[in-house]
Amino acid sequence: MVVEPRSSSESHSLISPMMKLTLLGAALLALGDSAVNALNSCGQSQYDPAQYVCWSDQFLCPITAGEPLSFCNGACYSKFMYKCENNVLSLLPAHTGTPFTLTVSNPTLPIDGKPVTASGLHLSLAGNTSTYCPVEVVGAACPPGNITAFFAGNGGLSMDTMVPGGQQAYLGPDWNLRYTQAHSAYIPAGSLTQGFGAYEGGGFVNLNGNGWGWVACPPQASGGGGTAWNLVGRNETNAASLTACTPVNLKINPLPSGTVGAWQYT
């Protein structure tokens, strides 16, 4: 995510060429007198520290998905996708070739730091991992099966499994993140298997739907019951229905080469 910073001396629109971002900058002007004491100063401007971060006492960058965007040579950016070296902004290198787990990143949520988990052919947040291994066939080579692990490459995502044929992850027609049944390549019509970015030292980013990213929906809003939060890819058509959900980043946690998450995820 890259957006234009707000200068302390003039008002700018926050425009993202990579990921669509809707910010109500005018809301700062509409704050009542009772909220004035909660504002901080950044150069000549006042700002709400719950919505913005000030860099060099001059530039304001928004806080998105709980992340105060960093500043680099006139641009605000997410460290889950970009790096700034010698005042030059560039994409982080792609994470390929080795497995990884994913954890939620948004310090405003109780599931901050909790893992993305696979169960019921569906990827959730802070849930349980469900796996199977035919011990009578695989024997001692069965993986522990207690983590949900992934591989990424070419804009896609797959589960880190031993089962022949593997298991592919995809965004279903409902924009929930799911994965295929073992021994089956079936993916519902209208699903998306690409449009993801996995970045070394950064995050797993949903670039589909004009880059609206991920949201976490609490159990009562996810419709599935239980304690796991639902992970949904947000886009311009479903955003209005996700008002009970909160934007999140997904942090990549590398695993040693050769690590196998499970024989299969169920």
Side-chain angles (χ1 to χ4, degrees), residues 145-232:
N146 57 358
I147 60 171
T148 298
F150 308 91
F151 274 101
N154 299 318
L157 182 71
S158 61
M159 310 304 290
D160 179 22
T161 59
M162 294 175 64
V163 66
Q167 292 178 273
Q168 185 174 10
Y170 62 92
L171 272 178
D174 58 359
W175 285 71
N176 280 223
L177 194 56
R178 305 180 183 277
Y179 53 95
T180 56
Q181 173 67 55
H183 309 294
S184 173
Y186 173 73
I187 294 176
S191 299
L192 299 170
T193 60
Q194 294 188 314
F196 307 111
Y199 298 98
E200 193 75 43
F204 180 68
V205 180
N206 171 31
L207 300 173
N208 290 290
N210 293 327
W212 283 60
W214 304 109
V215 293
C217 304
Q220 63 268 25
S222 63
T227 59
W229 288 51
N230 200 25
L231 176 64
V232 182

Side-chain angles (χ1 to χ4, degrees), residues 99-126:
F100 56 89
T101 62
L102 293 170
T103 48
V104 180
S105 180
N106 186 328
T108 69
L109 293 178
I111 57 169
D112 180 49
K114 299 296 184 181
V116 174
T117 50
S119 184
L121 305 182
H122 181 266
L123 292 169
S124 301
L125 307 174

